[in-house]
Every structure is written in structure tokens, then in C-alpha cells.
Amino acid sequence: MKKWLNHQSVRPLRRFLRAINTDTVWAEEWLRLTYASPATDEALGGTATASAKFQVFQDFYGYWTAQAASDGAGDGAGDSNGDGDALPFTDERLRTFVPNLPPKEEQALLLCDFIGFSLEQTASLLNVSSEEAGRLLEAGRALTRGLPPLGVLILEDHGLIAQDLSDIISESGLSVIGVAANEAEAIAISRKNWPEIIVSDQMLENGDTGLQAIEKLRNDGEFATIYVTAYPDEVLTGLDDEPALIVTKPFKPEAVRAALGYSVAARGRLGAVIDAESERDAG
């Protein structure tokens, strides 16, 4: 697996897996399963990076579909697909941590606007018609508009980029509480007005990094994180504190909008789960 870890055609899948679930162990295991595919191994050994990128996503969706079918059996007999081939996550303890994928509207949003697949490729991955994929994408894009006025802190030391990000964030309905060029400024702003989302570059002023600044801020409270960076490999570490959403520079506005909308949607789902668990415990 390690030989393909930083292959340029694999990086988008790593970013996608972290977007749909923040559990790094889960994401890395799906990467391992995808690498195990002969089709992916052959594709990554070639030079056609665009087709290889699509191939690794095809294999991921194929493995997830097989896993979902296996879990649906519910009798412990789902360790093969009927042809004698082993299905992923045969370790029962690991299988208990496999989450569901987000709604297809959000998948379409991430696949098209965040990762950059065409509508036809997205339709193929989601196993729907092109017309249905278009409907799903429009529904997903609706999640990027009219967002609640959550406070957003921008960590970016380039003024023009910070302004572009500020415009995109404000147009979505979110509220920019400040722009910080380094760690000290980020801490000072956060102490006055705590952010609910941080949009951060990796390389900051004075040799500071986004990872270091965010690590210090997490000592004081929780927030969602979106990285917008030209150095995604420096934040794709495989460690537990790895960010869930990474937009690569030079970025397209729709990629940032998709990350913002998905982050808020995921935040809402998490809140709903917590509320349901609280009600259950109280009952």
C-alpha cells in the first residue's frame, strides 16, 4: 500500500474519505482495500492519471457496496460474495466501525465540486442515470447556499487569497469573524470570538503552520476545520488529528463552497445523533 500512498491519482480518494468520515483508521483501511484491487494496481502503474483517479474511486464504491450487502445479511455469513471471494472488513470488530455513506446528494456534491469529477463520472460511481446525477448535484449545491451565520476564522497570510475566501464564505451565509496571518493572531481572535469553523492554509506567516495553530486552538474548544492549501501532503498525515476537508490550491470557488456546505451538513447530522442519544439516555 505504501508505494501508492502519495500517488497523485490516490490523493483525491484520501481527501474524499476524510470528507465523508473523520475517522482516520476507517479511511486508511478503505485505502488499503482499494489498493488491493488488481485493477487499481494496474491503473496506478500506468501514466494515465485521470483514468487512474477514476479507477480508485470505482474500486472504493465497489468495495463499499459489497460491504453494505455483506452487513445486510445479518447472519455472519457475509464473509464472501457468493463466489468464494472474501469481502472487506471480515474482522468483526473492525466492521462495527464502518459507517454509512452520507446522502447521495452530498456524495454528488463532493464528487463533482470537491473532487472534480464530471457529471457522467459521478453518475457511474453512484450507479444512477446522468439525469438523476444532475438532480442530486443540484440538491447538493443547495446545501452550500443560505447557510446559518456560524462564525468562521480564516488563517491565511496572503491578502488577496484571504479576501477571496472571505467573499465566498460571506456569500454562503456564514459569518467571517476575522482573518489571521499567523498563530498568535489566530489565538487572539479566537479568545474574543470563538470560531465554529476554521478555514486554514498550511503555511502561515513567521514560519507558523496551520496544523500547529489549530492544535493549540483545540486545547480551548471544538470547531470544524477546512484546509485550503497548496501542500495537501503535509496535512494528509494519517494521524488522528488529520483534517476532514482539504481543498487544494489553486482552488475553485465551487470546491470551497462544497467544503463549507458539507461541513455544515455533517455538523447538523452529528448534532442530531447527539440529541437522539441524549433523549434515549434520559428515557
Side-chain angles (χ1 to χ4, degrees), residues 58-207:
Q58 279 186 310
D59 283 342
F60 162 71
Y61 269 94
Y63 276 124
W64 183 86
T65 301
Q67 178 60 48
S70 173
D71 287 345
D75 58 4
D79 289 342
S80 71
N81 61 9
D83 297 323
D85 297 329
L87 289 175
F89 287 142
T90 54
D91 183 303
E92 292 301 323
R93 291 185 61 204
L94 184 56
R95 287 176 58 162
T96 62
F97 293 98
V98 180
N100 292 322
L101 291 180
K104 282 192 174 182
E105 293 84 353
E106 295 176 23
Q107 294 179 57
L109 175 68
L110 291 175
L111 289 169
C112 282
D113 290 354
F114 186 66
I115 299 299
F117 282 126
S118 68
L119 194 61
E120 290 71 22
Q121 289 173 317
T122 297
S124 176
L125 292 172
L126 297 180
N127 194 29
V128 298
S129 67
S130 294
E131 292 75 13
E132 177 64 7
R135 186 195 68 77
L136 291 170
L137 177 58
E138 286 308 307
R141 285 175 174 168
L143 297 173
T144 71
R145 299 186 290 267
L147 299 179
L150 305 175
V152 181
L153 171 62
I154 299 172
L155 305 188
E156 173 59 66
D157 61 341
H158 292 281
L160 290 177
I161 296 176
Q163 185 59 56
D164 285 344
L165 289 171
S166 181
D167 290 344
I168 294 170
I169 292 166
S170 297
E171 289 167 3
S172 73
L174 297 166
S175 176
V176 177
I177 63 172
V179 177
N182 54 55
E183 181 182 300
E185 291 180 1
I187 293 174
I189 293 172
S190 298
R191 285 176 176 170
K192 294 180 180 178
N193 192 356
W194 188 254
E196 294 181 83
I197 301 174
I198 293 182
V199 176
S200 177
D201 191 6
Q202 170 60 356
M203 308 304 294
L204 301 175
E205 191 178 71
N206 302 330

